[in-house]
Amino acid sequence: MADDNSPTKQTGTSAMWGGRFSSGQSDIMEAINASIDIDQRMAEQDIQGSLAHAAMLGATGIISSEDAAAIQRGLEQVREEIRAGGFPWSKALEDVHMNVEARLKEIIGEPAGRLHTARSRNDQVATDFRLWLRDACDRIDAGLAAYQHALVQQAEQHVDQVMPGFTHLQTAQPVSLAHHLLSYVELAERDRGRFRDARKRLNESPLGCAALAGTAFPIDREMTASALGFDRPMANSLDGVAARDFALEVLSAASICAVNLSRFAEEIVLWCTKRFQFATLSDAWSTGSSIMPQKRNPDAAELVRAKPGRIIGSLTGLLVVVKGLPLAYSKDLQEDKAPTFQAVDDLELALAAMAGMAADLSFNPEALEEAAGEAYSDATDLADWVVRELGRPFRDAHHIAGSIVRMAEDKGIPLAALSLQDMQSVDKAIDESVFSVLSARASMNSRTSFGGTSPTRVREQIKAWSARLAGE
Ligand code: ARG
């Protein structure tokens, strides 16, 4: 069924809705109207929905059980043909719904025309799209779980690895590398929660809302809803065909998730530079430069960093499409799928890349440890010692430690290299035991508060995460 000699073209009007039309469409009308290039990705869901609808029409006696059975057999054949590849999608038939129905007609003849009883493409497309997004949420959840798993495995190897923790990208306090990695596991878990929430809310069936007002046929919406794995039929037929907030929610979750991924991607880019030298990516995750032979570029991390541009673009695009649309269905809503499919594809690829890179990173213990001890990252430990051992208020201790840091800075040496006399010139009460807290490792080990970076606490978190991810 090639575009040019399809039955539609020959008769000049659509066989599906052409009853009151006498002449054919402009080619440009056909081009702007057709969505088949995009929505053929919902063919599986479309057939699933039609199978459920046909079974219900048969069970309620709206069509004969023979016709229902013929339709079901025919749909299964169409599904096989589509799965086999090379299905002759026709632009003249506009969209996936009419392409499937037209092929069904070729296969089974007259009963095919009964499938669309008590249904409209408006509830059909809303049903297909919800089913497609439900699967997408599940795939994204699996992608996030794989990413978390890779992070936890890296964390297991690096609990005692000290590195600088940053605020303002200035060296702040030493932390465990595992603690740093686990923070992304927490973030990914909240992303999973957002997709779960979206999935739960979208899992209602619009099928049977028909064009907008419901139908006069005695349909059984509970039956189709449960056959399709929906929690319930949607309670308002206008809402069923008009709502696209479910796609907006998935795109919002995707946007937040992409932004979250971009933060670790950015750190990978930084860590792999000569300036940081915290980590390297293997050849599998690096590219070279066509002019500079020495270059190893973290292109995948850069591309993940860029993905929010596209994914937020999809969210913004669909928000603008839906904004101000009066109820119920308008063709504007056909523009929902391209940005959504694009965003889901981008996010799935970004997740796979992040899981791959998280597993691939190899860390440079010397560079991490050296950087952890730089830039007076133990200054807070000095102030805390003054509070704890000398009983001073924190504000005063902060001042004392600040003066000692300035002195060390003037001499160009770390705090631990100052003499006790130097320290005592700032505060006479300081004694030798102060030196025990002045190292990056001592600093990391000391932060034993719940959620803190001490290896003891981090090991507990790793254990909890391993058990949780293994139990899924
Ligand atoms: N291809 C259309 C879409 O994606 C299907 C619904 C068409 N409905 C209609 N009344 N023309 O939105």
Side-chain angles (χ1 to χ4, degrees):
M1 203 199 299
D3 276 355
D4 296 335
N5 57 10
S6 68
T8 307
K9 270 289 160 86
Q10 278 161 6
T11 59
T13 59
S14 169
M16 300 289 171
W17 45 254
R20 67 186 290 266
F21 288 77
S22 49
S23 67
Q25 274 180 349
S26 140
D27 288 348
I28 296 171
M29 176 64 217
E30 182 180 297
I32 198 172
N33 203 34
S35 56
I36 188 59
D37 288 347
I38 306 291
D39 60 26
Q40 58 179 264
R41 284 187 66 174
M42 302 193 306
E44 285 283 337
Q45 291 78 10
D46 195 68
I47 290 174
Q48 214 187 328
S50 289
L51 284 169
H53 186 65
M56 182 278 292
L57 292 177
T60 51
I62 297 169
I63 65 174
S64 72
S65 47
E66 295 74 42
D67 284 347
I71 290 169
Q72 283 172 299
R73 270 198 310 279
L75 284 170
E76 274 154 20
Q77 184 180 327
V78 178
R79 182 162 65 188
E80 258 151 53
E81 290 176 9
I82 293 169
R83 283 181 184 169
F87 190 84
W89 300 109
S90 157
K91 264 207 167 63
L93 290 167
E94 279 185 45
D95 56 27
V96 65
H97 325 294
M98 299 212 289
N99 269 268
V100 168
E101 195 183 318
R103 180 68 190 126
L104 181 68
K105 176 103 191 284
E106 286 175 352
I107 299 169
I108 67 167
E110 193 263 345
R114 300 187 186 276
L115 171 60
H116 214 50
T117 315
R119 182 177 81 170
S120 148
R121 276 187 294 157
N122 296 350
D123 59 337
Q124 196 178 351
V125 73
T127 304
D128 294 1
F129 198 27
R130 281 174 190 262
L131 290 173
W132 193 91
L133 277 169
R134 194 173 72 186
D135 289 347
C137 286
D138 292 342
R139 289 196 308 273
I140 291 167
D141 185 66
L144 277 161
Y147 170 56
Q148 287 179 309
H149 189 73
L151 287 165
V152 170
Q153 283 202 313
Q154 279 283 12
E156 271 168 358
Q157 309 303 311
H158 298 291
V159 180
D160 293 302
Q161 176 63 58
V162 66
M163 70 175 284
F166 298 94
T167 58
H168 314 266
L169 198 56
Q170 307 290 321
T171 302
Q173 293 172 346
V175 296
S176 150
L177 173 55
H179 194 53
H180 191 117
L181 296 170
L182 286 183
S183 80
Y184 286 118
V185 177
E186 298 281 344
L187 194 54
E189 187 64 20
R190 291 193 295 278
D191 283 320
R192 294 179 72 182
R194 275 180 279 276
F195 283 104
R196 267 198 298 272
D197 288 348
R199 185 201 196 281
K200 195 165 185 290
R201 244 187 315 280
L202 69 74
N203 199 32
E204 292 189 332
S205 175
L207 195 56
C209 292
L212 77 164
T215 174
F217 291 99
I219 58 171
D220 182 347
R221 292 193 57 209
E222 296 281 352
M223 182 180 167
T224 46
S226 91
L228 294 170
F230 286 118
D231 293 331
R232 64 193 74 82
M234 292 181 75
N236 183 298
S237 60
L238 291 166
D239 182 43
V241 296
R244 290 296 181 273
D245 58 321
F246 64 92
L248 292 171
E249 278 199 293
V250 174
L251 288 174
S252 305
S255 297
I256 296 171
C257 181
V259 166
N260 289 342
L261 293 181
S262 79
R263 299 184 71 174
F264 187 34
E266 163 68 353
E267 294 202 316
I268 293 174
V269 172
L270 287 174
W271 290 354
C272 291
T273 61
K274 183 79 185 150
R275 292 282 162 259
F276 277 79
Q277 296 185 74
F278 286 0
T280 46
L281 287 169
S282 77
D283 290 358
W285 292 97
S286 304
T287 55
S289 157
S290 56
I291 174 169
M292 297 166 284
Q294 85 285 9
K295 287 298 283 293
R296 277 179 84 76
N297 295 326
D299 290 32
E302 295 165 68
L303 289 163
V304 172
R305 187 173 61 184
K307 287 295 182 203
R310 292 163 62 99
I311 296 174
I312 296 168
S314 288
L315 170 62
T316 310
L318 186 55
L319 282 167
V320 176
V321 166
V322 177
K323 184 205 163 290
L325 261 194
L327 299 185
Y329 177 87
S330 296
K331 198 62 176 258
D332 309 50
L333 291 176
Q334 179 168 283
E335 299 290 353
D336 56 359
K337 283 170 283 304
T340 307
F341 293 168
Q342 181 68 67
V344 169
D345 289 347
D346 278 332
L347 185 64
E348 286 192 66
L349 188 55
L351 276 168
M354 288 307 287
M357 285 186 284
D360 184 80
L361 278 171
S362 64
F363 291 95
N364 178 349
E366 293 78 32
L368 286 161
E369 175 132 28
E370 194 185 321
E374 280 170 3
Y376 305 105
S377 62
D378 48 2
T380 315
D381 302 275
L382 174 57
D384 287 352
W385 182 91
V386 171
V387 169
R388 215 169 39 241
E389 304 301 324
L390 307 184
R392 307 286 164 75
F394 182 76
R395 283 289 158 228
D396 297 352
H398 186 283
H399 203 76
I400 292 165
S403 304
I404 296 174
V405 167
R406 197 175 51 222
M407 182 189 299
E409 221 165 15
D410 288 346
K411 293 179 188 268
I413 54 174
L415 293 178
L418 287 168
S419 67
L420 184 58
Q421 286 95 305
D422 288 336
M423 301 259 191
Q424 287 173 339
S425 74
V426 177
D427 192 308
K428 284 196 289 297
I430 297 176
D431 65 45
E432 194 69 38
S433 72
V434 72
F435 290 102
S436 69
V437 302
L438 298 182
S439 83
R441 200 159 282 279
S443 171
M444 169 180 79
N445 291 341
S446 72
R447 291 193 153 63
T448 52
S449 55
F450 177 76
T453 193
S454 90
T456 325
R457 291 287 93 85
V458 172
R459 266 192 200 91
E460 290 163 5
Q461 290 299 318
I462 288 177
K463 216 171 140 207
W465 274 114
S466 305
R468 195 157 156 186
L469 293 173
E472 281 178 358

